[in-house]
Amino acid sequence: MAAPSDLKAAAKSAAGNAYVPYSDFPVGAALRTADGRIFSGCNVENRSYPLGMCGERTAIGTAASAGVRPGEIVELVVFMPGTNLFSPCGGCRQVIAEFMPADGKIWATNDGEGQREWTANDLLPDGFSFDGLS
Ligand code: THU
């Protein structure tokens, strides 16, 4: 399935606000909630490199700040420059697993026609959970 065009447009627009003086690799992300709301975010780097925020986590954090709760994010589109279609980093995979259902859809896109698509479970199979805590 093609990445939803409205989310791709929102992710591309968010990438335009990326703060990337260190990597020069602007990433935007846009997500849809089960009740139809859209939130977006971009990567925000820092001179202390490990403190940089990825676009995916900024978008999810923005949604969470508006009251979106785990399981309510059903689609997430990431937009990146050039012909790149990288998969989300490990940290973002953990945050995606927190807020998207296992069958939630994630797409990597760019200005071309190519795309990659995963479910949240594809990105973090058998992830840590307190389910079944004894
Ligand atoms: N980045 C993202 O925003 N999302 C990812 O999934 C991987 C990488 C950002 C982090 C950093 O600002 C830049 O891309 C280069 O790693």
Side-chain angles (χ1 to χ4, degrees):
M1 175 181 157
S5 58
D6 57 347
L7 290 186
K8 183 173 175 179
K12 180 177 180 178
S13 174
N17 291 328
Y19 175 67
V20 289
Y22 307 107
S23 74
D24 194 29
F25 190 77
V27 177
L31 62 85
R32 192 183 336 271
T33 61
D35 63 3
R37 288 177 291 165
I38 291 176
F39 296 93
S40 63
C42 60
N43 51 343
V44 182
E45 298 183 344
N46 191 274
R47 66 187 71 172
S48 178
Y49 297 170
L51 298 181
M53 283 290 291
C54 291
E56 296 92 319
R57 271 180 288 156
T58 304
I60 292 172
T62 300
S65 299
V68 173
R69 298 292 83 151
E72 294 178 359
I73 297 173
V74 293
E75 296 178 326
L76 172 69
V77 173
V78 186
F79 183 92
M80 60 195 77
T83 55
N84 301 297
L85 289 171
F86 298 134
S87 59
C89 79
C92 286
R93 292 174 188 223
Q94 190 72 50
V95 174
I96 287 168
E98 186 80 17
F99 280 91
M100 296 185 75
D103 64 351
K105 297 276 196 306
I106 300 102
W107 290 266
T109 68
N110 56 38
D111 255 329
E113 293 300 312
Q115 63 164 44
R116 294 173 71 191
E117 179 181 348
W118 307 270
T119 64
N121 187 65
D122 291 335
L123 294 178
L124 193 67
D126 199 25
F128 167 71
S129 161
F130 281 119
D131 289 353
L133 180 71
S134 59

